[in-house]
Amino acid sequence: MTASVPLGFDRKTTRPIPGNKTGMAFNTVLFALLAILVAVTYGPVSHYLTVIGAWRHPSRMVFATDSDLVKIKDTIVCEDLHLYNPTNTLFTACEDDIHRRFGWFPPLGNFETPPQTTQEGGSIHVIDPETKISTRLEFENFSGPFVTHGIDVVAADESRPGHSVYIFAVNHLPNPDFLQNRQNTAIPKARSQIELFYHVLGSNSVRHVRSIWHPLIKTPNDIYAESPTSFYVTNDHFYRDGLFREVEDLLPLAKWSTTIHVQITHETARAQSNDPIPDVKAEVALRGIFNNNGLGHGQTHDECLVTSAAGGLLYLGQTSNGQISVREVITLDSAVDNPSYFSDPFVSDGNNNASGYIIPGLARGIDLPFHKKDPSARDGALVWHVKSSSGTTSNSSMSSGTGWEKRLLFEDDGTIIRTASGAVLVPIDPEREGGRKKGWLFVTGFLSENAIAVKVDL
């Protein structure tokens, strides 16, 4: 069969016939269509490939001295990290056993070995930013299992912020029905919930107050607490597992994840069954984001930071009446996770303000589906520093977006830390650094054997 040739093209050479106006017109239209196609598809596709790290070759950060890097002991697989400003205390929740994460962690689709005993659980730690020492808090009234993920910390009494706090923590429990009938694929494998703890600052213990569950909390990832009775939680996927879960991981158009607003009546009955607790009220606060993931507090009391992990996007939102309205979106060149905001207390002039958003992420998210069950694999980590471009000095290592300067504050090939899912920046008084502006960057990873603290230039 002879292949058809478009009108106006020479059949032997498939080139436009010289002087043929029909061919030239067709050629013009063809190239116009191709230009439109490239304009519509190339930018998003190119950005997505950049975000997942298709062309990235992770490298290790070089430190001036050995003392500029501290590996924090007893911080095994700590996914999230929060700085409680009133007492300058870091909080994190850790899995404690690196191998357990590769056998059971619903956010990665690891369902092979669900925890079945109370001993199979993680812990809550406080970290002193000055000494870099992690202190494990003893549980009161709680015995697990505790499969840790996102957390948030809020003052128990706003009039006494330095006295005590409540800690909200995601717990990825197995579904009891699944444990009894593992052959039934229609039964969801996980039944994740939120644990609420009470901690007196400076003490060595944390008391479990209650568990919080609701049907809208399906695949919880991170938490943004407004008060002891009101919080937001992201569902990073709509589907817990299966084919459509894979579609959600790969297709940016699958904007099915949600952020849920939850209200509770404080210190009431615990969850004892699969039925919703009467005092737990929940509603969808934000939808339409691809791989809705990390949450963080911004520069104002009502600014809520939301990330699209696989989309490489930071959403600047505002909370009001149980809803989150997005006012701006910042594009980043990697997969991103739990964001935080750094407020620079050492601003000497308008051109030396390091205040901005701290966003951890993966150097090569494209590798994660192949590494998520491999304890020996390496996954590179990086952390972005994003600040307003107005009133700041130029820096050749920064790439400017619309109104924002984006700088890689930290990068590693997986040797120092595997993955970066939580990052917090703690300032250093410039007088201690010879007038230079520096800070301690604390980084945690959901597949890392330890958290780290690195000294960085600001």
Side-chain angles (χ1 to χ4, degrees), residues 166-185:
Y166 283 105
I167 304 169
F168 291 86
V170 173
N171 187 4
H172 291 295
L173 296 174
N175 187 342
D177 295 336
F178 164 68
L179 295 178
Q180 294 176 7
N181 188 2
R182 300 194 187 190
Q183 304 305 315
N184 189 342
T185 58

Side-chain angles (χ1 to χ4, degrees), residues 226-257:
E226 285 187 313
S227 72
T229 59
S230 174
F231 66 93
Y232 296 83
V233 56
T234 51
N235 286 314
D236 54 32
H237 290 76
F238 182 83
Y239 295 94
R240 291 183 175 91
D241 57 1
L243 176 61
F244 284 105
R245 167 64 179 252
E246 301 298 327
V247 171
E248 283 190 271
D249 286 334
L250 299 173
L251 186 63
L253 295 177
K255 299 180 179 181
W256 307 327
S257 57

Side-chain angles (χ1 to χ4, degrees), residues 28 33 100 108 127 135 143 180 219 223 228 260 268 270-271 278-279 286 288 290 362 373 422 454:
T28 301
L33 291 173
R100 280 204 300 260
L108 288 180
I127 300 173
T135 301
S143 58
Q180 294 176 7
T219 56
I223 299 171
I260 306 300
T268 56
R270 300 170 180 272
D279 78 314
L286 181 64
F290 171 50
L362 300 178
K373 297 182 181 180
V454 295

Side-chain angles (χ1 to χ4, degrees), residues 76-374:
I76 302 173
V77 197
C78 309
E79 200 271 349
D80 200 5
L81 186 67
H82 282 270
L83 176 65
Y84 186 67
N85 287 301
T87 57
N88 196 39
T89 305
L90 291 164
F91 286 85
T92 188
C94 305
E95 184 76 7
D96 292 340
D97 186 333
I98 188 70
H99 297 286
R100 280 204 300 260
R101 178 130 303 190
F102 296 98
W104 176 267
F105 193 56
L108 288 180
N110 294 346
F111 297 105
E112 285 70 23
T113 54
Q116 300 186 57
T117 68
T118 57
Q119 285 72 35
E120 295 181 78
S123 55
I124 294 176
H125 298 236
V126 294
I127 300 173
D128 186 331
E130 287 292 327
T131 65
K132 318 297 186 297
I133 294 176
S134 172
T135 301
R136 178 186 297 256
L137 300 179
E138 297 178 5
F139 283 125
E140 296 178 12
N141 201 35
F142 184 71
S143 58
F146 187 29
V147 182
T148 61
H149 202 168
I151 66 168
D152 201 4
V153 182
V154 64
D157 183 351
E158 290 187 357
S159 66
R160 296 193 302 166
H163 177 263
S164 55
V165 295
Y166 283 105
I167 304 169
F168 291 86
V170 173
N171 187 4
H172 291 295
L173 296 174
N175 187 342
D177 295 336
F178 164 68
L179 295 178
Q180 294 176 7
N181 188 2
R182 300 194 187 190
Q183 304 305 315
N184 189 342
T185 58
I187 299 176
K189 298 180 177 65
R191 185 186 175 278
S192 304
Q193 61 189 32
I194 311 300
E195 310 294 354
L196 180 60
F197 299 93
Y198 175 81
H199 171 64
V200 176
L201 294 162
S203 70
N204 62 357
S205 65
V206 59
R207 175 171 59 86
H208 186 243
V209 176
R210 62 171 295 171
S211 299
I212 304 165
W213 182 83
H214 191 276
L216 287 180
I217 304 174
K218 297 177 63 176
T219 56
N221 186 300
D222 201 11
I223 299 171
Y224 174 103
E226 285 187 313
S227 72
T229 59
S230 174
F231 66 93
Y232 296 83
V233 56
T234 51
N235 286 314
D236 54 32
H237 290 76
F238 182 83
Y239 295 94
R240 291 183 175 91
D241 57 1
L243 176 61
F244 284 105
R245 167 64 179 252
E246 301 298 327
V247 171
E248 283 190 271
D249 286 334
L250 299 173
L251 186 63
L253 295 177
K255 299 180 179 181
W256 307 327
S257 57
T258 56
T259 299
I260 306 300
H261 178 244
V262 182
Q263 285 187 303
I264 60 173
T265 301
H266 185 46
E267 291 193 80
T268 56
R270 300 170 180 272
Q272 300 291 346
S273 68
N274 288 351
D275 297 325
I277 305 173
D279 78 314
V280 178
K281 309 299 181 184
E283 62 178 334
V284 177
L286 181 64
R287 65 174 79 241
I289 292 178
F290 171 50
N291 196 200
N292 190 353
N293 197 283
L295 290 173
H297 294 266
Q299 55 184 317
T300 61
H301 75 280
D302 60 351
E303 184 176 64
C304 179
L305 313 178
V306 188
T307 61
S308 165
L313 301 171
L314 171 66
Y315 293 83
L316 306 184
Q318 186 174 13
T319 61
S320 178
N321 298 321
Q323 297 293 301
I324 300 174
S325 57
V326 175
R327 60 178 179 83
E328 191 167 357
V329 183
I330 300 174
T331 303
L332 295 156
D333 289 338
S334 74
V336 293
D337 216 315
N338 303 326
S340 63
Y341 183 76
F342 169 70
S343 181
D344 186 358
F346 302 108
V347 180
S348 57
D349 56 67
N351 294 322
N352 195 26
N353 189 347
S355 298
Y357 303 102
I358 307 299
I359 307 106
L362 300 178
R364 284 180 53 85
I366 193 173
D367 295 332
L368 192 58
F370 309 101
H371 292 177
K372 65 182 184 179
K373 297 182 181 180
D374 184 359

